[in-house]
């Protein structure tokens, strides 16, 4: 593929952009990497079509392999407002015999044009886990692709640096995204759009490096799908952005692309301020008596939606309700006059009502586990998959979908619920065999079942919103364990973490906009009566760095702390239009987990706000390179009488001075 957007860094004609592996043909030349596939090397273009759409340009390339009869149709879309490209390939069996596919690339892209050039390239990627999401790090490409003098050997390399998902938490270990930065500023950023299995990898050839992006594979994800004559399989979509302006430039292009993707998939909403009763508050033990004061204090603070989180379906006498979930009917014991009284209180204060669901799971002790057919659950080796006392529904099965449709429709129609927090707290492993339990033949793999389920789950969400267009949906998975743009394209909010320690949250909040739109980054702010004024401001700044997501016993706060919360809510509401067009930048680079100073900038080109968290014990003078985007800097202070921060401009840099101790502020530049 030639250079993308005229880039001399991204794109090389020597790399076939479709890599296709079958059960009886893998590589044309042996390697650990997903390059030089036998079928991919033989594919030849037989047709191409260009379409000019209102908001994007679309290129369709049809390639055929004369040996197998396989036909690969790749669609490449470029939004008019972003230097980014979305790739997706469909493979059709044009032969008269079955063919089993074991891997299909979303994209293979050459970068650089020589071994020497790779010496000047950096790789940024991120680890992620529960409570410590989005931990980015940067290293020379030569750390993972050693110099081999391939020209001397007259061969391409055989090794690779691979990053994969495992199971159904698409962002539970590593992020399906990365960035390559060449000395001088040229950058390539990418994302894999799958809430199921995925892999990206780097490898090297005599004439430079190769980035290969894939969905599920046989080797890593137990994937295989057999195509009968005339049948097709569509691979996982992926997007690549390029920029001459370094890391921040490439991630800004991906930000623009993500907004285009959300508009295309009708994933927008009005960014209501949500209060959720869970984090550091009810922790899954709601009741009428606990919730009513929280409802009034949330409304007083300016919240527009009150979401009742986990536990609303569980009788207190039950003990551990974890293995009993699945019916999703309100507890008769928790709510004195029924759940309706609580919902009415929410609506009477002018707020939308929301509720927590974990739709894909059924507890082993739930009556639903016996009511639904075996084929409605994940199965492997003839047994239902059990993870942490829960079964996993297979949303391809009509009984599973009908059950969940009934749950959602009842909550909407009976109670007027218009916000659903969809959680997902298990990882059921490699997947399931069969199509909703049916025998899919010897060529089926568990990874294919997992991918098909995730696509069915997305379709189910689309069905919910089609039936109930007033409904907003939060994507949550034990915090940020499934924060990918397969789901974020069709949902409205992403909980960025389950981190309950407000001092540890800033690296997550500051890093999240690298892979999540700022207006979708649901950053928890949970002030508490025991917090100092600086602590309250610290957690509120975290919330303001994305989509302010309130929790905490607001009713227990004193008047000063309540005023701070109300001020933060008022600011967030005023900033919403700006937030929805802002792009992120990182004056200090993407933060390390233990960094004393954490910083995120958001700008729409007119107004710039820099969010700074100082976790050092001593007073400091901190220079933020390149953050001085304006002629005037001012520090927002949410509390009267708090220790002063100062901000000043030093050419292109922003300089802040902080008092001793933990503190955080927003600096505005105009």
């Amino acid at each position: 593929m030639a250079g993308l957007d005229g880039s001399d860094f991204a794109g090389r004609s020597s790399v076939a952009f479709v890599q296709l592996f079958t059960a009886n043909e893998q590589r044309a030349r042996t390697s650990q990497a997903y390059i030089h596939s036998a079928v991919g090397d033989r594919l030849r273009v037989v047709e191409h079509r260009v379409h000019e759409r209102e908001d994007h340009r679309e290129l369709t390339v049809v390639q055929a392999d004369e040996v197998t009869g396989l036909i690969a149709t790749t669609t490449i879309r470029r939004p008019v407002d972003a230097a980014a490209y979305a790739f997706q390939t469909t493979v059709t069996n044009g032969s008269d015999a079955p063919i089993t596919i074991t891997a299909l690339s979303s994209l293979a892209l050459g970068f650089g044009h020589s071994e020497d050039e790779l010496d000047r390239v950096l790789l940024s990627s991120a680890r992620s886990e529960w409570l410590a999401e989005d931990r980015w790090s940067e290293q020379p490409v030569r750390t993972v692709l050693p110099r081999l003098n391939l020209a001397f050997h007259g061969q391409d390399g055989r090794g690779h640096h691979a990053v994969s998902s495992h199971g159904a938490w698409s962002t539970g270990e590593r992020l399906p995204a990365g960035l390559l930065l060449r000395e001088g500023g040229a950058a390539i950023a990418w994302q894999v759009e799958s809430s199921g299995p995925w892999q990206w990898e780097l490898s090297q050839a005599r004439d430079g490096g190769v980035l290969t992006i894939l969905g599920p594979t046989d080797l890593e994800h137990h994937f295989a799908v057999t195509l009968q004559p005339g049948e097709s399989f569509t691979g996982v979509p992926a997007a690549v952005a390029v920029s001459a302006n370094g890391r921040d430039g490439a991630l800004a292009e991906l930000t623009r692309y993500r907004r285009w993707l959300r508009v295309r998939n009708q994933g927008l909403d009005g960014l209501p301020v949500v209060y959720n009763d869970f984090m550091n508050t009810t922790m899954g033990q709601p009741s009428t008596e606990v919730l009513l004061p929280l409802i009034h204090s949330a409304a007083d603070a300016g919240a527009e939606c009150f979401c009742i989180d986990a536990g609303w379906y569980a009788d207190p006498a039950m003990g551990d309700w974890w293995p009993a979930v699945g019916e999703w009917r309100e507890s008769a014991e928790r709510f004195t006059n029924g759940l309706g009284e609580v919902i009415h209180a929410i609506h009477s204060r002018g707020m939308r009502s929301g509720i927590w669901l974990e739709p894909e799971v059924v507890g082993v002790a739930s009556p639903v586990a016996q009511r639904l057919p075996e084929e409605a659950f994940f199965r492997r080796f003839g047994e239902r998959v059990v993870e942490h006392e829960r079964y996993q529904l297979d949303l391809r099965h009509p009984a599973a979908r009908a059950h969940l449709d009934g749950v959602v429709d009842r909550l909407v129609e009976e109670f007027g619920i218009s916000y659903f927090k969809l959680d997902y707290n298990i990882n059921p492993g490699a997947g399931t065999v069969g199509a909703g339990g049916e025998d899919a033949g010897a060529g089926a793999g568990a990874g294919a079942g997992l991918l098909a389920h995730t696509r069915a789950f997305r379709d189910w969400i689309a069905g919910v919103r089609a039936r109930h267009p007033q409904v907003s949906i939060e994507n949550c998975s034990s915090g940020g364990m499934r924060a990918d743009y397969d789901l974020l394209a069709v949902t409205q909010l992403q909980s960025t973490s389950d981190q309950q320690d407000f001092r540890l949250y800033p690296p997550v909040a500051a890093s999240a906009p690298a892979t999540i739109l700022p207006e979708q980054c649901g950053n928890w702010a949970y002030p508490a009566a025991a917090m100092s004024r600086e602590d309250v401001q610290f957690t509120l700044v975290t919330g303001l760095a994305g989509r302010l997501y309130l929790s905490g016993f607001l009713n227990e706060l004193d008047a000063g702390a309540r005023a701070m919360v109300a001020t933060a809510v008022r600011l967030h509401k005023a900033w919403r239009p700006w937030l929805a067009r802002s792009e992120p930048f990182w004056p200090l680079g993407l933060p390390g987990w233990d960094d004393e100073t954490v910083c995120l900038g958001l700008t729409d080109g007119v107004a710039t706000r820099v969010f700074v968290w100082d976790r050092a014990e001593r007073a400091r003078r901190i220079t933020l390179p390149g953050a001085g985007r304006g002629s005037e800097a001012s520090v927002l202070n949410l509390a009267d009488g708090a220790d002063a921060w100062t901000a000043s401009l030093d050419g292109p840099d922003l300089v802040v001075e902080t008092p001793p101790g933990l503190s955080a502020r927003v600096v505005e530049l105009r």
Side-chain angles (χ1 to χ4, degrees):
M1 175 177 291
L4 298 182
D5 266 83
S7 169
D8 66 347
F9 182 43
R12 199 168 64 245
S13 59
S14 61
V15 178
F17 66 89
V18 173
Q19 299 294 331
L20 177 54
F21 295 74
T22 68
N24 67 331
E25 275 195 299
Q26 298 192 101
R27 296 166 187 83
R29 181 185 175 279
T30 193
S31 172
Q32 298 286 85
Y34 285 97
I35 56 173
H36 293 305
S37 62
V39 176
D41 280 3
R42 291 196 303 262
L43 287 173
R44 294 295 180 267
V45 175
V46 296
E47 182 185 358
H48 75 278
R49 302 181 295 272
V50 177
H51 300 282
E52 299 290 344
R53 310 297 188 189
E54 182 178 350
D55 62 346
H56 70 280
R57 192 181 196 206
E58 187 172 297
L59 170 65
T60 301
V61 180
V62 182
Q63 300 184 85
D65 172 30
E66 291 185 355
V67 175
T68 61
L70 289 170
I71 302 166
T73 302
T74 303
T75 301
I76 307 169
R77 297 182 176 93
R78 186 200 190 279
V80 295
D81 294 328
Y85 298 81
F87 290 79
Q88 190 166 28
T89 295
T90 296
V91 174
T92 302
N93 183 359
S95 76
D96 57 4
I99 300 176
T100 297
I101 307 299
T102 58
L104 171 63
S105 69
S106 306
L107 165 69
L109 179 71
F111 61 92
H113 295 273
S114 69
E115 289 187 81
D116 290 343
E117 191 172 351
L118 299 188
D119 295 344
R120 304 188 301 276
V121 177
L122 297 175
L123 166 66
S124 293
S125 61
R127 296 183 179 275
S128 195
E129 65 178 274
W130 184 62
L131 308 181
E133 295 84 351
D134 302 352
R135 303 190 321 278
W136 285 80
S137 61
E138 187 176 78
Q139 61 185 323
V141 160
R142 282 299 179 211
T143 304
V144 296
L145 298 178
R147 174 175 274 280
L148 302 173
N149 197 356
L150 293 172
F152 181 83
H153 294 84
Q155 299 184 50
D156 293 342
R158 298 184 183 182
H160 69 158
H161 170 69
V163 173
S164 288
S165 67
H166 294 98
W169 277 354
S170 59
T171 56
E173 291 181 295
R174 303 294 296 264
L175 295 192
L179 186 137
L180 292 166
L181 175 63
R182 186 181 65 184
E183 186 179 286
I188 307 166
W190 63 88
Q191 67 179 30
V192 196
E193 295 164 15
S194 173
S195 53
W198 58 265
Q199 175 160 312
W200 63 260
E201 65 171 33
L202 303 181
S203 56
Q204 59 183 324
R206 285 164 288 176
D207 56 351
V210 181
L211 165 68
T212 309
I213 300 173
L214 306 106
T217 66
D218 177 25
L219 184 61
E220 285 81 14
H221 308 106
H222 305 267
F223 169 84
V225 60
T226 297
L227 301 181
Q228 299 298 325
E231 290 185 336
S232 298
F233 168 74
T234 299
V236 165
V240 175
V242 296
S243 175
N245 299 316
R247 175 201 62 227
D248 292 354
L251 292 178
E253 298 295 347
L254 269 187
T255 298
R256 296 172 195 144
Y257 165 77
R258 291 167 188 145
R259 289 201 173 107
W260 171 81
L261 193 63
R262 290 190 74 212
V263 170
R264 179 180 172 82
N265 288 281
Q266 301 179 327
L268 304 177
D269 69 347
L271 311 187
V273 176
V274 179
Y275 176 93
N276 181 296
D277 69 33
F278 184 81
M279 191 73 81
N280 296 356
T281 314
T282 67
M283 298 299 292
Q285 299 296 333
S287 68
T288 300
E289 292 70 27
V290 171
L291 290 178
L292 289 179
L294 293 177
I295 290 167
H296 294 301
S297 60
D300 290 342
E304 296 159 302
C305 178
F306 189 101
C307 182
I308 302 170
D309 209 278
W312 59 272
Y313 39 78
D315 290 338
M318 177 186 299
D320 183 13
W321 46 256
W322 181 270
V325 298
E327 282 204 292
W328 310 118
R329 290 193 168 270
E330 61 277 13
S331 165
E333 302 299 322
R334 286 193 181 275
F335 305 107
T336 307
N337 296 308
L339 179 62
E341 178 188 30
V342 176
I343 300 297
H344 175 73
I346 295 170
H347 293 167
S348 69
R349 291 303 310 270
M351 295 185 292
R352 297 167 57 181
S353 57
I355 209 157
W356 178 96
L357 286 176
E358 195 171 356
E360 295 162 84
V361 303
V362 172
V364 295
S366 171
V368 176
Q370 306 306 318
R371 189 181 307 150
L372 294 178
E374 283 294 307
E375 294 79 12
F377 297 93
F378 271 32
R379 294 175 58 81
R380 291 194 73 193
F381 307 110
E383 303 286 346
R384 279 195 203 180
V385 174
V386 179
E387 169 77 1
H388 196 170
E389 299 182 284
R390 289 176 170 186
Y391 301 120
Q392 164 79 43
L393 287 175
D394 187 336
L395 266 291
R396 294 174 293 174
H397 197 282
R401 289 195 302 274
H403 164 63
L404 294 183
D405 284 342
V407 168
V408 168
D409 292 351
R410 185 181 73 87
L411 290 169
V412 171
E413 294 161 7
E414 184 175 337
F415 294 106
I417 300 294
S418 62
Y419 182 97
F420 287 95
K421 175 178 178 176
L422 302 185
D423 212 339
Y424 188 51
N425 289 303
I426 66 167
N427 188 338
T432 183
V433 295
E438 299 171 5
D439 182 11
L450 175 57
L451 178 64
H453 159 76
T454 62
R455 289 173 166 174
F457 178 60
R458 176 184 160 127
D459 288 345
W460 175 76
I461 290 174
V464 168
R465 297 203 69 222
R467 295 196 310 279
H468 308 293
Q470 77 279 18
V471 162
S472 297
I473 294 178
E474 174 188 340
N475 185 45
C476 178
S477 180
S478 285
M481 300 292 94
R482 197 167 59 175
D484 58 76
Y485 267 88
D486 180 41
L487 291 177
L488 285 173
V490 297
T491 55
Q492 285 66 58
L493 181 69
Q494 172 66 54
S495 175
T496 54
S497 184
D498 275 355
Q499 179 54 252
Q500 293 176 249
D501 187 336
F502 71 99
R503 294 158 294 195
L504 297 180
Y505 211 129
V508 177
S511 296
T515 50
I516 303 170
L517 284 172
E519 64 268 30
Q520 287 184 286
C521 289
N523 296 331
W524 292 89
Y526 31 66
M531 287 182 173
S532 68
R533 288 288 185 270
E534 284 293 356
D535 291 348
V536 171
Q537 186 148 217
F538 196 94
T539 189
L540 289 172
V541 168
T542 299
L544 287 169
R547 182 91 166 260
L548 180 62
Y549 198 7
L550 283 174
S551 194
F553 287 105
L554 304 185
N555 56 310
E556 297 179 357
L557 301 179
D558 62 28
R562 289 200 302 273
M564 293 173 68
V565 175
T567 298
V569 171
R570 186 171 64 252
L571 286 172
H572 180 71
K573 289 179 178 179
W575 293 351
R576 282 187 289 209
W578 164 82
L579 184 69
R581 60 177 180 263
S582 68
E583 295 169 359
F585 65 97
W586 293 268
L588 298 177
L590 288 159
W593 185 248
D594 297 315
D595 286 356
E596 286 187 327
T597 303
V598 176
C599 179
L600 167 68
L602 295 173
T603 184
D604 68 351
V606 177
T608 298
R609 295 182 173 94
V610 181
F611 303 82
V612 186
W613 298 262
D614 184 12
R615 300 192 287 184
E617 291 300 320
R618 62 197 182 282
R620 296 200 300 159
R621 177 184 173 90
I622 304 166
T623 298
L624 306 174
R629 304 185 179 197
S631 58
E632 180 183 347
S634 59
V635 178
L636 289 176
N637 194 5
L638 302 177
D640 294 333
D643 289 337
W645 279 44
T646 64
S648 60
L649 298 175
D650 183 8
D653 303 335
L654 173 65
V655 179
V656 297
E657 296 188 43
T658 70
L662 193 80
S663 60
R665 294 290 188 276
V666 184
V667 181
E668 285 197 297
L669 297 106
R670 293 187 181 276

